[in-house]
Each structure stands twice: as C-alpha cells, then as structure tokens.
Amino acid sequence: MKRTTVAFLLALAILAAGAAVISAAASDLAIGRRLPDSERVAARWTPERLLAARPMPPPRADLERLRGEEGDEGGAIAARAAAARSVHDWAPQPPTARVPQGLAKILIDPERLAGHRPARERRSGWTTTARGNFLLDFTSSRLVPEDSRFFYPYSTSGKLFFSIPGEGDFICSGAVVSARVVATAGHCVNEGGSDFFEDFLFVPAYREGEAPFGVWTANFVSTTEEWSDLPEVPNAADFGFLVMDDIDGAKIGSITGWLGWLTGNLSPNHVHILGYPANLDRGERMHQVTAGDSIAIEPLIASSAADTHIFGSDMLGGSSGGPWVQNFGVKAKGQKGSKNAKLNRVVGITSYASGNAKDKVQGSSDPGSSFKAAFNLACSAESGNCSKKGKPKS
C-alpha cells in the first residue's frame, strides 16, 4: 500500500476516534501530535507516581556477530569524515533569564526518597570498568562537582517522565535544544505508527527529587517516520522531540539555555553523553560518559536502512534519549584552529544497548534529514518554539 494511502486512512481513523490530529511534515519524514490538558498532567505526577516510574529499558541490538568484523580499516574514518561535511547546524544558546522565584521545587521529600529503596540497593551491581568486549574506551562518572548541574551546558539535560497506556509510568532522559523544544529518543515518545505516549514531564538538572529549574509539561510531540514505521533497533532515526509549555511566560530555553545540534557529524567524533541511568545512582543523579570514536554499524535490518554508531558506555535503562554532545563545555582563551570547533552541538541521541551487557556500548542513530524534519515539525507547532538566531544552515 502506498504511503499516501496509508496516511489518508490513518487520518480518517484518528478523526473517527476523536483523537488529537497527527501532523505530517511537508517532507513526509516526520509525524507529530498535539498533547492536551497540561494542567492535568502536572497534577498527575504525584511523589508516589514519580517514585514508581520505571526506567525505560533500552532497546537491545544483537551486535555479537559484528565483533571483529567492523572497524575503521583502510581509511574508513577519513571517508566518513568527508561524508560528514554536508551538515545542518543549529546554534546553541546559554541561559538568557534568571530562574524566577518559586520555579525551583522539591518534588520528593528527601527522607521519603531515601527510604524508598533498601540501602543495599543503592550500590549498582554493574561493574564500571571502562572497557567492554568491543574494546571501546570511555570514562564514566558523576558530575564533578555535582553542582555543575546548575550551570550551562549541564543545565540543559534532564529527566523525562511519561506514561505508556496499559503499561505504566517510565523514565527516559532528554535535553533542551531550542527555546521550547526538548530532544529525546523516538522510543521514549512513540511505540510505532500513531501510538504516541502520554503525560510527559521534563525536569532539567533533576537530582534526588529536586527540580532546580522547575517541572515542564509538553503540548506537542514528534518523531521520525523511520521510527514510527519500524520501531526496531538499530534504526536510522530513533529521535523524538517535545514542545514544552511556558511557565508564567518564561520559556524553558531561556532558563536552562539550550544545546545546538549538527547532522552528519556523529563519526568520527568524541562525545559527552548525559543521562539518568537506573543502574548508576538509581537514576537519581545526572551521569556523564565521555567516549571517543565508534564502530560504524552496517544495516542489520534492511528495511530500516539503519545508519548508527556505537560508543563505549556503561549506562543502561533510563539513559535513553540522553544527548551525545561534541565539544561540550566552555571554550578557553587560545582555543582555535580546529577543523570541528563548534561547541555544544548534539550529534547523537542514546538509542540502544547491546544484547550482551559485557559489551558496554550504547548506540545512536546518525542525525540527518529526518532528525531535522522532526525538529522542524516541533518548531512549527507554535510561533516562538525555536529561535531565529539558531536557524539551521544547510
């Protein structure tokens, strides 16, 4: 059946059911949905629900057969570097407003949080030796100092709560990438077709029940058609975007700042991966992994034309949707002359883990035209969602 016919029948079915209308991008690369009743969503997330939310299990890919078969032999890195030169660039933006009085909240009483799990479960059973079966080196750490979360660019990253009808409440990670837009993984917003999740709540710089920059509800969600058509990994475009409601006239990006993004620049590269993995500090603290270049994963699912890369990492469930950021941080005087000098650009999003935990890798789709289409769909949902200063450059 032709895609246009499928889209037409899907639209009729949605209208007949009285559901929110699915919006399609002009390029036919992304779909989105308006989300109703933000006040109900905010009231729904009681301390009990926040505590009961489970980390979204990372989709698993069978990478075992690729061990020793893929790599950067014979100038493959140089070839990918040349292919990466044609990119779309969205500029980052530090915070432009002070945190309004009353925005910071304590979502969960510290004593209640401490007593939620037995003390013996506070230690993760995961061994954090920084190399796995794929021999990809990485560094895994809490933030140092942990109060770094209050400052840009850490302030852009946060914990994402949401519900899946019939399954319960879950947790992913995400990052602010424009005035009102948060980026995450496609599998954190959609399980295929028009089946979007619900009740999204984003908490930037979350730590053990604290919300220093407030809690933000969403009014629009989008993902790529690659993900909605075939929600399996590796996937060419496991990306999702949320448009956040303003709080007392303030946009989330003005309070936290936002990260930029680059397409076609995931490999070769070095990245800073942020997220809230439940296997480390119970997912109650922002975690960071820094990792070097990856192994290129050839398409494992022919129909998805998966273009993904893996980097070393020990983060698991809950870290899905976290940003992979190149040149993370603040430039020092004297830093110049680099061939890839753009600061604080998202070049990947945590998408999947290996089926073998001892591999200690995470994978990301390589952002491309579908990433841009889903982002633009979120931007177009309402005037002011995205800053003209950061207009993507082809």
Side-chain angles (χ1 to χ4, degrees), residues 40 122 143 153 200 297 306 325 332:
R40 180 196 62 80
R122 293 186 183 182
L143 273 56
F200 295 98
I297 301 298
V325 189

Side-chain angles (χ1 to χ4, degrees), residues 113-180:
L113 182 64
H116 180 59
R117 295 175 178 84
R120 60 183 175 84
E121 291 188 13
R122 293 186 183 182
R123 290 188 177 184
S124 169
W126 186 265
T127 302
T128 57
T129 304
R131 181 182 286 178
N133 289 341
F134 277 88
L135 303 182
L136 294 176
D137 293 310
F138 61 92
T139 299
S140 177
S141 170
R142 287 180 176 177
L143 273 56
V144 183
E146 290 196 58
D147 282 351
S148 299
R149 66 195 174 99
F150 295 128
F151 300 96
Y152 181 85
Y154 285 109
S155 58
T156 62
S157 185
K159 196 168 185 177
L160 178 65
F161 297 87
F162 59 95
S163 65
I164 301 179
E167 296 187 33
D169 298 329
F170 292 87
I171 297 164
C172 275
S173 302
V176 185
V177 291
S178 194
R180 292 192 181 112

Side-chain angles (χ1 to χ4, degrees), residues 1 9 53 71 85 94 114 134 155 159 164 174 191 264 301 310 350 390:
M1 186 179 295
L9 293 175
R85 293 296 169 256
F134 277 88
S155 58
K159 196 168 185 177
I164 301 179
E191 60 184 348
I301 307 170
I310 59 172
T350 299

Side-chain angles (χ1 to χ4, degrees), residues 215-231:
V215 294
W216 303 77
T217 55
N219 58 64
F220 188 86
V221 58
S222 67
T223 191
T224 66
E225 286 214 342
E226 281 98 332
W227 177 257
S228 64
D229 284 352
L230 188 62

Side-chain angles (χ1 to χ4, degrees), residues 9 16 21 40 84 87 129 142 167 170 186 194 210-211 219 230 233-235 243 282 287 306 317 324 361 377 381 392:
L9 293 175
V21 176
R40 180 196 62 80
V87 299
T129 304
R142 287 180 176 177
E167 296 187 33
F170 292 87
S194 61
E210 298 176 0
N219 58 64
L230 188 62
V233 294
N235 188 283
V243 178
R282 301 175 296 158
H287 198 82
W324 295 26
V361 295
L377 186 58

Side-chain angles (χ1 to χ4, degrees), residues 317-333:
S319 65
S320 288
W324 295 26
V325 189
Q326 74 163 36
N327 300 331
F328 182 85
V330 180
K331 185 182 292 185
K333 291 182 178 179

Side-chain angles (χ1 to χ4, degrees), residues 45-51 105-117 122 206-211 282 284:
W45 286 104
T46 62
E48 291 80 11
R49 283 192 179 275
L50 293 170
L51 285 170
K105 297 182 182 300
I106 301 296
L107 302 180
I108 305 169
D109 181 84
E111 292 185 5
R112 187 173 189 177
L113 182 64
H116 180 59
R117 295 175 178 84
R122 293 186 183 182
Y206 175 95
R207 181 183 182 274
E208 296 188 341
E210 298 176 0
R282 301 175 296 158
E284 289 295 325

